[in-house]
């Protein structure tokens, strides 16, 4: 870890005033501190934002929910309004990490979590376009069992690691960001980027912007939801594939559906084609299997991860099936 | 008094451990302590062309940057310690050569750890890299026989394999592979080196204090009497702390150079490479049997990898030589050299990987014969050691099969793969035989009666979390006839009587007899002194008429006095010491532990999610010294078996020679949620032919057989035979769909 300046901010405007290239915000620190220890992140200045008043969960005028960026993952997952109105989000949060990590990790930090690609996370590897632009991609010819099958580029095959973000993408959440230029709102589905030829940019957030909140639209999917996470051990492992699904069902037919996948792409992968195809269909195995196939359409395997395509299809259809079986708690 | 040996006594160090009172190697706060961080090579083979340490040397707090250019020259280029007890080929900054990715190329010493780490990041190396050999598959053609094998001949040829194989009615021939693994104890390697007046004190996380003492003395070219190694608690070893690795010597070299105590703790990612790991194995097994299941031929050809600088053999074929009766057996061990850090002993080296391959092959044979896998094993039970016909010291494997099969409900198994289903899972039952050899070495112990009637009993052994403090306290208390609470056991210090390595499941069977002998001798001295004490109630009585029971000296006629009263009157301590060593029992007998392990797996047919709701094992391990710690040892071993079967694999990057998943987030050891019910029992036959207490060690047998039992259960569940560990979803789900 390199030496850095440390500033603790108490007002949002003060924090925002300090942001820029070379500065990182410290919230729970569950990802950033590890990356700093490993030399992957080497900020010259840390702005500790833990004292900012961004830890509230509040109703919005339109009937949605505004979640402050500093709300801890465990608090969000167990908030009664979230459990009642956005159970998909609660399920996804509880599938991630461990209780200790969830107690520390913030919503804003979770949005900005960096990939678990082996070649990014270890500076002993010379090649990583995300960490060292232009150095190449160690994963393309290396160990790529955990890597992307959708939306990857020649430059980068890394996947986004968050569970929470997959649910937020499915739920059409909005990220609220502040900078000295003011506040802007970014749709969750547009917040994370595909790698293209600029894989070092994980998100649309600029260096001088601070995530202040995530907003959820008025609740629509309270009952038929599921977050299914498939991984190499029963807990404390990142998803090989995960599926966040939500169904609005009327009279046995799907009125509307939301489907997003984790572990398959550089961002939470919203399967809009599958969603559209499901609308109007009888809620059952035929439609769900078809949705699974559509969700993975266009997938391109690497040497070690072809299994993710079939597994992703099945995760989607199983999640839809489980969503139908789920009773309201 | 009730028997103390075998009781489920609480760990005597339990309170210390859970309250933070137990001090581990890195936790000795010596005055003037400074901190060292190792800089590692990022190439696998070649030379350091240039090393720019100038920025590091001028960084805040830095006391020393040691490189191959300024490191003190050691005897024999740093290779003086390569021989046993704990010696390995080390990389100690004696030249510019690089033999593996992760090799130490510099050590930075600073006032604080943070300063040392920050400065280490400033060291810049450029290399003249040579083409490295990293691909096991590509290197296979260069496989060669090692010069020696610790466990016997490199190759075994018994009878005539070809004749037996030709005579078989049923044959199987398959190749099994196991991956590179790393031990990952909770406590990383850690050393504090401290020189005072030419004497070196090491606080070291080690499984072998006296081995480290002798090895470091040879490496540095000093008298072993000038070295003291202290290690009261070790946070898990599993074999990686059985040898002395480079960081120990580097810490000592740095401490001498800066003339201050130096602490060197490996980061988690530094545990992958420079300090050993389980080598990859490729094991081809051919079995032949007659229609009734009698084995007629066994072939087990093992290739494992080693480093460019040293041969280490993973002896996977060794258990195959003795596990079943078969007149014709042919086993071989070959090595391929890769440009990686030298692999080493990892929990049940040979047995863990070997029983996976061989016991899966036995399951394949059982299916080929349409015979029950338990029946096949009982049919081929070895009544004597098949290698030389020696009788066993004690063997009750048949009882283990019976006991475990009954508790498991094996008879409810429909052998047809895929035939047992619940609403949402394929159910699989699998089993395997477990085995591990019994080892014993010479050990010394001392015992002292203090004037307050309490005892100090000591042996320079180690506590790896295994329960050494507790079980030796029990052995001493029973011998002395006193409550365990009046005995304090000391270990982990070369100033104490010498004990062997805590590896190879050796400690209990070696140290306990020495502790018993020392305490027996002290008890005799106490009684001899009591009868000469005019103030004693037993004055003038024959010592043979006296016993010590529950802390009182008791005569045959019922008169008694407290030991504390005698000790207080005496006013000076009373001492005894003893050595205990194996006799000629191994020339007459073969000594092994055995077990039978059964696993149930459930696989979701749609998404492949695998769960192991229960594992049932029964073990024949001789006397258990403590019912609680014995259970923990076996359960822990089984958990390791689950990791071997399902999750653990070190991913070697073939472009760089660097391990890709060198963290506990990405190297998956099982978590609690992966472990279901573990039903472990013992058959409890003391093995008094092996040692007076009837003990065989139990640190390793738990891992053996488990991966095979799980693999066999996976086949039974879904009809896919996975021959390559770990068993991950990509290796059975796509195949099972067809």
């Amino acid at each position: 870890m390199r030496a850095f300046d440390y500033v603790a901010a108490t007002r949002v405007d003060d924090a925002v005033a300090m942001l820029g290239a070379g500065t990182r915000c410290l919230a729970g620190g569950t990802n950033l501190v590890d990356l700093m220890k490993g030399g992957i992140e080497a900020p010259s200045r840390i702005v500790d934002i833990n004292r900012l008043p961004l830890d509230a969960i509040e109703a919005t005028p339109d009937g949605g929910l505004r979640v402050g960026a500093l709300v801890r993952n465990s608090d969000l997952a167990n908030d009664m309004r979230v459990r009642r109105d956005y159970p998909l989000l609660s399920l996804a949060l509880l599938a991630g990490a461990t209780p200790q990590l969830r107690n520390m990790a913030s919503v804003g930090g979770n949005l900005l979590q960096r990939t678990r690609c082996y070649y990014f996370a270890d500076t002993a590897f010379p090649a990583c376009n995300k960490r060292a632009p232009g150095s190449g991609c160690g994963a393309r010819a290396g160990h790529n069992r955990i890597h992307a099958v959708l939306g990857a580029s020649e430059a980068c095959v890394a996947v986004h690691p968050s569970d929470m973000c997959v649910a937020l993408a499915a739920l059409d959440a909005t990220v609220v960001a502040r900078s000295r230029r003011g506040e802007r709102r970014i749709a969750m589905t547009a917040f994370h980027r595909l790698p293209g030829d600029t894989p070092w940019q994980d998100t649309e957030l600029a260096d001088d912007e601070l995530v202040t909140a995530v907003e959820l639209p008025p609740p629509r999917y309270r009952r038929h939801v599921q977050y299914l996470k498939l991984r190499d051990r029963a807990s404390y492992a990142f998803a090989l594939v995960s599926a966040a699904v939500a169904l609005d069902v009327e009279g046995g037919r799907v009125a509307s559906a939301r489907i997003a996948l984790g572990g398959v792409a550089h961002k939470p992968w919203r399967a809009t084609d599958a969603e559209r195809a499901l609308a109007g269909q009888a809620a059952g195995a035929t439609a769900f299997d078809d949705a699974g196939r559509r969700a993975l359409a266009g997938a391109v395997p690497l040497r070690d991860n072809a299994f993710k395509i079939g597994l992703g299809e099945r995760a989607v259809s199983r999640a839809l099936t489980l969503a139908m079986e789920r009773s309201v708690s | 008094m009730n028997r103390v040996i075998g009781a489920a006594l609480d760990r005597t160090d339990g309170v210390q451990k859970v309250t933070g009172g137990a001090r581990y190697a890195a936790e000795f706060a010596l005055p003037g302590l400074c901190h060292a961080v190792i800089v590692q090579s990022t190439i696998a083979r070649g030379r350091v062309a240039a090393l720019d340490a100038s920025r590091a040397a001028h960084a805040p707090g830095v006391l020393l940057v040691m490189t191959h250019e300024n490191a003190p020259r050691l005897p024999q280029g740093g290779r003086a310690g390569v021989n046993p007890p704990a010696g390995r080929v080390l990389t100690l900054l004696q030249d510019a050569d690089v033999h593996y990715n992760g090799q130490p190329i510099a050590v930075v010493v600073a006032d604080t750890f943070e300063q040392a780490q920050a400065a280490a990041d400033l060291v810049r190396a450029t290399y003249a890299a040579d083409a490295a050999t990293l691909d096991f598959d590509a290197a296979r053609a260069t496989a060669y026989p090692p010069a020696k094998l610790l466990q016997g001949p490199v190759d075994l040829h018994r009878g005539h394999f070809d004749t037996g194989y030709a005579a078989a009615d049923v044959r199987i021939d398959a190749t099994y592979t196991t991956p590179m693994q790393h031990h990952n104890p909770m406590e990383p390697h850690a050393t504090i080196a401290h020189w005072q007046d030419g004497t070196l004190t090491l606080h070291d996380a080690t499984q072998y204090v006296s081995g480290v003492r002798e090895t470091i003395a040879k490496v540095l070219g000093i008298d072993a009497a000038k070295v003291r190694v202290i290690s009261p608690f070790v946070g898990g070893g599993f074999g990686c702390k059985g040898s002395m690795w480079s960081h120990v010597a580097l810490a000592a070299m740095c401490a001498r150079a800066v003339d201050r105590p130096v602490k060197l703790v490996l980061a988690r990612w530094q545990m992958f490479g420079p300090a050993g790991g389980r080598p990859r194995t490729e094991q081809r097994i051919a079995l032949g049997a007659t229609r009734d299941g009698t084995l007629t031929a066994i072939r087990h050809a093992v290739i494992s990898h080693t480093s460019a600088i040293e041969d280490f053999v993973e002896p996977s074929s060794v258990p195959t030589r003795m596990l079943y009766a078969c007149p014709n057996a042919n086993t071989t061990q070959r090595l391929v050299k890769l440009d990686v850090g030298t692999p080493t002993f990892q929990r049940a080296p040979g047995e863990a990987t070997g029983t996976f391959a061989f016991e899966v092959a036995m399951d394949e044979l059982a299916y080929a014969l349409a015979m029950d896998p338990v029946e096949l094993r009982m049919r081929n039970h070895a009544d004597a050691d098949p290698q030389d016909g020696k009788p066993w010291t004690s063997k009750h494997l048949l009882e283990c099969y019976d006991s475990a099969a009954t508790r498991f409900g094996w008879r409810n198994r429909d052998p047809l793969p895929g035939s047992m289903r619940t609403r949402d899972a394929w159910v699989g039952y699998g089993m395997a035989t477990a085995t591990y050899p019994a080892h014993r070495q010479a050990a010394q112990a001392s015992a002292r009666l203090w004037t307050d009637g309490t005892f100090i009993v000591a042996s320079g052994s180690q506590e790896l979390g295994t329960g050494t403090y507790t079980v030796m306290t029990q052995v001493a208390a029973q011998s002395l006839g006193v409550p365990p609470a009046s005995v304090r056991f000391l270990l982990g210090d070369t100033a104490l009587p010498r004990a062997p390595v805590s590896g190879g499941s050796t400690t209990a069977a070696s140290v306990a007899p020495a502790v018993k002998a020392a305490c027996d001798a002290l008890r005799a001295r106490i009684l001899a002194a009591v009868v000469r004490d005019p103030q004693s109630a037993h004055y003038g009585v024959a010592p043979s008429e006296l016993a010590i029971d529950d802390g009182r000296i008791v005569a045959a006629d019922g008169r008694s006095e407290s030991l504390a009263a005698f000790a207080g009157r005496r006013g000076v301590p009373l001492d005894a010491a003893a050595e205990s060593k194996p006799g000629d029992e191994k020339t007459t007998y073969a000594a092994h532990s055995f077990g039978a392990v059964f696993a149930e797996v459930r696989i979701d047919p749609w998404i492949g999610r695998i769960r192991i709701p229960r594992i049932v094992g029964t073990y024949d391990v001789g006397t258990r010294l403590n019912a609680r710690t014995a259970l923990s040892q076996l359960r822990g071993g089984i958990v390791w078996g689950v990791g071997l079967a399902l999750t653990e694999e070190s991913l070697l990057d073939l472009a760089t020679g660097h391990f890709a998943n060198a963290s506990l987030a990405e190297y998956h050891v099982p978590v609690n949620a992966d472990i279901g019910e573990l039903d472990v029992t013992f058959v409890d036959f003391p093995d008094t032919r092996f040692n007076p207490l009837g003990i065989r060690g139990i640190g390793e047998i738990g891992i053996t057989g488990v991966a095979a039992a799980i693999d066999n259960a996976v086949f039974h569940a879904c009809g896919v035979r996975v021959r390559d560990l770990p068993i991950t979803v990509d290796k059975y789900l796509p195949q099972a769909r067809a």
Side-chain angles (χ1 to χ4, degrees), chain B residues 468-490:
Chain B
T468 310
Y469 279 115
T470 308
V471 300
M472 295 309 159
T473 298
Q474 289 173 273
V475 170
Q478 178 148 326
S479 166
L480 292 165
V482 300
S486 55
V487 175
R488 186 165 164 236
F489 189 76
L490 302 179

Side-chain angles (χ1 to χ4, degrees), chain A residues 1 37 116 118-119 122 124-126 142-143 145 228-230 232-237 240 289 307 310-311 314 317-318 325, chain B residues 117-118 121 423 604-607 609 611 647 651-653 656 658 660-661 664-666 668-669 671 673-674 728 730 733 737:
Chain A
M1 193 184 287
K37 285 182 179 175
R116 306 302 300 195
Y118 311 128
Y119 298 87
D122 191 337
F125 287 120
H143 289 286
R145 182 174 171 271
L228 180 63
K229 181 177 183 181
L230 305 180
D232 279 329
R233 63 181 167 189
S235 178
Y236 190 41
L240 293 168
D289 289 356
F307 73 99
L311 198 62
R314 289 179 168 218
S317 69
R318 169 61 65 82
E325 293 171 1
Chain B
Q117 181 64 60
D121 291 342
R423 178 175 162 270
D604 184 311
W606 187 248
I607 53 175
R609 185 151 57 195
R611 294 289 182 262
T647 61
L651 299 171
L652 180 69
D653 179 62
T656 59
H658 188 70
N661 57 339
L664 288 178
E666 321 296 347
H668 291 158
V669 299
V671 295
D674 290 301
T728 48
D730 43 314
L733 184 63
R737 293 177 190 183

Side-chain angles (χ1 to χ4, degrees), chain A residues 62-212:
Chain A
D62 67 353
L65 209 57
R66 180 185 170 95
V67 180
L70 287 173
V71 172
R72 304 295 151 168
N73 285 188
S74 46
D75 291 335
L76 182 59
N78 293 309
D79 182 88
M80 284 315 295
R81 290 159 293 179
V82 172
R83 289 175 59 169
R84 183 188 65 215
D85 296 338
Y86 306 95
L88 179 61
L89 177 58
S90 185
L91 290 171
L93 282 160
L94 294 175
T98 64
Q100 294 91 333
L101 286 166
R102 294 195 294 268
N103 287 342
M104 290 300 293
S106 68
V107 165
N110 197 327
L111 285 170
L112 300 174
Q113 218 185 143
R114 311 223 54 195
T115 183
R116 306 302 300 195
C117 173
Y118 311 128
Y119 298 87
F120 169 77
D122 191 337
T123 57
F125 287 120
C128 173
N129 288 321
K130 185 184 282 294
R131 172 165 47 79
S135 61
C137 173
R140 272 216 163 263
H143 289 286
N144 53 37
R145 182 174 171 271
I146 64 172
H147 288 75
V149 291
L150 287 163
S153 70
E154 203 52 44
C156 183
V157 295
V159 299
H160 177 70
S162 166
D163 295 299
M164 179 194 81
C165 291
V166 182
L168 290 177
L171 293 171
D172 286 317
T174 302
V175 178
V176 183
R178 279 272 293 280
S179 72
R180 290 183 289 272
R181 290 164 283 136
E183 186 172 280
R184 69 166 175 148
R185 305 158 66 77
I186 310 165
M188 185 65 200
T189 48
F191 184 76
H192 294 95
R193 296 163 48 94
L194 289 179
D197 50 11
T198 57
W200 51 92
Q201 278 186 273
D202 289 355
T203 71
E204 292 294 338
L205 197 73
D207 280 341
D208 65 348
E209 285 184 302
L210 174 72
V211 173
T212 54

Side-chain angles (χ1 to χ4, degrees), chain B residues 35 53 77 95 104 184 203 308 324 336 403 518 598 689 737:
Chain B
H35 300 261
D95 54 45
N184 279 305
H203 298 274
Y324 299 109
V336 296
S403 154
F598 291 70
R689 280 177 177 160
R737 293 177 190 183

Side-chain angles (χ1 to χ4, degrees), chain B residues 36 45 55 71 99 112 136 215 219 237 252 286 306 316-317 366 393 454 580 586 609 680 698:
Chain B
R45 183 184 178 94
R55 286 179 65 206
H99 304 287
T112 70
F136 188 98
T215 304
V219 168
T306 188
S316 308
S317 73
T393 51
T454 66
S580 169
K586 280 211 172 175
R609 185 151 57 195
V680 173
I698 54 172

